[in-house]
Amino acid sequence: MPDEMTVARSETGDPLLLTPGPLTTSKSVKAAMVHDWGSRDAAFLRINREVLERLPAIVNGGADYVTVPVQGSGTFAVEAMLTSFVPAGGCCLLVINGAYGQRARRILEIAKRRTVVCETAEDTPPDLDRIEQVLKADPGITHIFVVHCETTSGILNPVHEIGALAAKYAKGYLVDSMSAFGALPLDAPAAHADAVAASSNKCIEGVPGLGFVICRRAALVATDGNATTLTLDLLDQSRVLEKTGQYRFTPPIHVIVAFHQALTEFFAEGGQPGRGGRYAGNCQELIDGMRAMGFETLLPDALQAPIIVTFRMPADRRFVFQTFYDKLKDRGFVIYPGKLTVADSFRIGCIGRLDRSHMRLALDAIREVLHELGVASVAAHKAA
Ligand SMILES: *Cc1c(COP(=O)(O)O)cnc(C)c1O
C-alpha cells in the first residue's frame, strides 16, 4: 500500500467522472429511473411535456422557439439539425476548430450537402474576418454552423459574434452547444440562432440517451421537405409531438424522467448562472492546482471555457499516461485522454455533480500518483 491514498466516490459509490459527459449525476437523478412507464402513459407524457417546455428558457428562447427532442446521443441531434435545416440546394459554412466541427462536416458530406470550411487549429479561435470574406465571396452559402464550446480542447467559440455575421448576411445559423448548454450563457434570439443542439448528459447533468434541438419556430417550419432520413426529421418529430403529445418512435422514457429531475435540480441551483458559477469554481480550482504542480494548460485563460481543461503531456519519460490514468482510476477519478493534433495532451473535465472539494481531492490524488511514478517535473515538451 502506498503511504497516502486519496480516494473519492460519488453519492452512489462510483468513481467520479472528470470527463465531458456522460458525467457524474446525482443520486436523485438516477433514482428517478426505478419505475416503468408506458410510452403513451399520461404521467410520462406530462413529464415529457414539462421537459420540452423548460428547455428554451435556458437560452432565452421565448415563445418563438420550440424544443424538438431526438432519441439518441448528442450527435443524433446535431445530425438531425444539420440534415433538417440545410436543404438539398443549400450550402453550409462550417466554422471548425476541433473534432466536433469535423464531425459536422462528415455528416453533411454523407447527406451530400455542399460545405465551405473556415478552419483554425484546435487552440485557435475562429477568424471572424476570414468568415466574413468567405460569406461575401460565396453567395451560395445558406447556413453557418459553429460549435459553442469545442470539447476537443475546451475552447470557447464566439457564438454571438458569428451569429451577428449570420444576421448581417441573412444566413441560417446552427449551433452545436452540446457541452456548453446550461453552463455558459447563450441568448438564442440575440445570437440570431435558428437552432441550438444539446443533450441530456452534459451540463444539465442527466443520463445519456436524449438529444434535442431548440428551434426558432419559423425557421423549423421552413425546413419542410429537407430531411434526408425519417428518424431525424425534426419538423415531422415536432409536428407529431405538438399534435399528439407523443413520440413517433419509442422514446428513452427513463432517460427523459431522469432528465426532468435533473432540470428541477438545475433550476434549484439557479439555472445557467448558478450551474456555470459552480463549474467556473471547479475549473479555477483545477487550473490553479495543476499549475502549482507545474502543468501547463493548452489554452490561455481568455479562451478557456469552464467545461474541460487540456493539459500538455509532461516530457518526463516516467510519466506514462496509461499508468497515470489507471492509478487515478483506482483512487476514484476518471480523466480523459487528449486526441488533439496540435499537442500531446490529456484532459480533465470540470462538469457534473462535482464541486471544488472534489477538484481538491483530485489534485491530491494527482500529486500522490506523480510521486509514485517518480515524476519530479511535469514540464511539457517544447513546442516543435
Ligand atoms: C458531447 C458532444 C457532442 C455529442 O457527442 P455524443 O457522443 O454523440 O453525445 C457533440 N458536440 C459536442 C461539442 C460535444 O461536446
Side-chain angles (χ1 to χ4, degrees):
M1 271 296 277
D3 351 327
E4 288 175 281
M5 179 108 172
T6 301
V7 177
R9 293 286 179 243
S10 75
E11 290 172 298
T12 42
D14 307 303
L16 301 177
L17 302 178
L18 304 180
T19 58
L23 34 70
T24 297
T25 57
S26 69
K27 188 172 182 174
S28 37
V29 163
K30 290 183 278 277
M33 293 186 287
V34 299
H35 299 285
D36 300 310
W37 294 265
S39 61
R40 319 227 174 258
D41 176 283
F44 165 67
L45 295 181
R46 182 187 54 76
I47 289 171
N48 179 65
R49 184 161 21 85
E50 283 179 13
V51 165
L52 302 185
E53 286 172 1
R54 284 174 180 182
L55 289 168
I58 298 171
V59 289
N60 194 33
D64 288 349
Y65 286 79
V66 61
T67 309
V68 189
V70 181
Q71 295 97 322
S73 83
T75 304
F76 289 68
V78 174
E79 185 152 15
M81 172 172 78
L82 289 167
T83 58
S84 294
F85 277 87
V86 182
C91 172
C92 190
L93 167 57
L94 298 163
V95 179
I96 300 181
N97 54 358
Y100 293 98
Q102 297 293 359
R103 188 178 294 176
R105 171 197 251 174
R106 183 90 189 98
I107 287 169
L108 287 171
E109 269 171 20
I110 291 170
K112 301 195 163 53
R113 298 295 187 250
R114 188 162 78 87
T115 58
V116 171
V117 173
C118 277
E119 187 169 4
T120 48
E122 290 151 338
D123 58 353
T124 308
D127 180 342
L128 295 174
D129 292 336
R130 170 104 191 94
I131 293 171
E132 182 152 18
Q133 282 165 18
V134 170
L135 287 170
K136 276 187 186 151
D138 190 341
I141 293 168
T142 54
H143 291 79
I144 304 176
F145 167 89
V146 71
V147 178
H148 188 179
C149 166
E150 206 358 305
T151 324
T152 310
S153 66
I155 195 169
L156 176 61
N157 283 328
V159 273
H160 292 90
E161 288 82 345
I162 295 171
L165 288 174
K168 182 172 174 189
Y169 292 90
K171 308 301 180 190
Y173 188 36
L174 312 174
V175 180
D176 171 355
S177 185
M178 205 69 57
S179 61
F181 185 87
L184 298 175
L186 172 58
D187 187 319
H192 307 282
D194 289 321
V196 176
S199 75
S200 54
N201 65 281
K202 294 209 170 162
C203 302
I204 305 296
E205 300 183 359
V207 304
L210 189 77
F212 54 89
V213 187
I214 298 176
C215 303
R216 203 162 56 77
R217 286 180 188 276
L220 178 64
V221 169
T223 67
D224 203 353
N226 290 353
T228 56
T229 61
L230 172 67
T231 51
L232 300 179
D233 182 344
L234 290 178
L235 183 58
D236 194 42
Q237 177 89 323
S238 151
R239 279 185 173 149
V240 173
L241 265 162
E242 289 212 333
K243 199 161 150 228
T244 67
Q246 300 182 2
Y247 284 75
R248 296 174 301 163
F249 316 115
T250 304
I253 297 175
H254 299 77
V255 172
I256 293 168
V257 175
F259 194 35
H260 184 269
Q261 175 62 26
L263 279 166
T264 299
E265 294 175 17
F266 169 79
F267 287 113
E269 192 176 350
Q272 178 271 317
R275 183 62 50 96
R278 175 161 57 84
Y279 291 170
N282 290 351
C283 184
Q284 199 58 55
E285 192 77 40
L286 175 68
I287 289 180
D288 290 349
M290 291 292 278
R291 284 189 181 145
M293 283 180 242
F295 282 100
E296 294 165 37
T297 59
L298 176 74
L299 299 173
D301 293 350
L303 299 178
Q304 177 72 58
I307 305 297
I308 186 161
V309 184
T310 304
F311 295 98
R312 292 182 186 276
M313 205 66 92
D316 187 332
R317 290 225 306 283
R318 280 164 294 198
F319 186 93
V320 177
F321 179 74
Q322 190 60 47
T323 316
F324 179 70
Y325 176 96
D326 291 341
K327 285 179 175 288
L328 285 175
K329 172 76 193 295
D330 291 344
R331 287 164 163 81
F333 303 95
V334 177
I335 64 167
Y336 219 59
K339 46 173 182 183
L340 277 69
T341 53
V342 290
D344 193 14
S345 59
F346 64 93
R347 297 177 288 172
I348 302 183
C350 325
I351 62 179
R353 190 100 308 236
L354 305 168
D355 59 30
R356 278 177 181 264
S357 72
H358 296 108
M359 304 318 276
R360 281 195 289 270
L361 288 173
L363 291 163
D364 289 343
I366 289 169
R367 271 184 223 102
E368 291 167 21
V369 172
L370 291 176
H371 185 74
E372 275 181 36
L373 296 177
V375 174
S377 162
V378 294
H381 286 285
K382 288 281 158 277

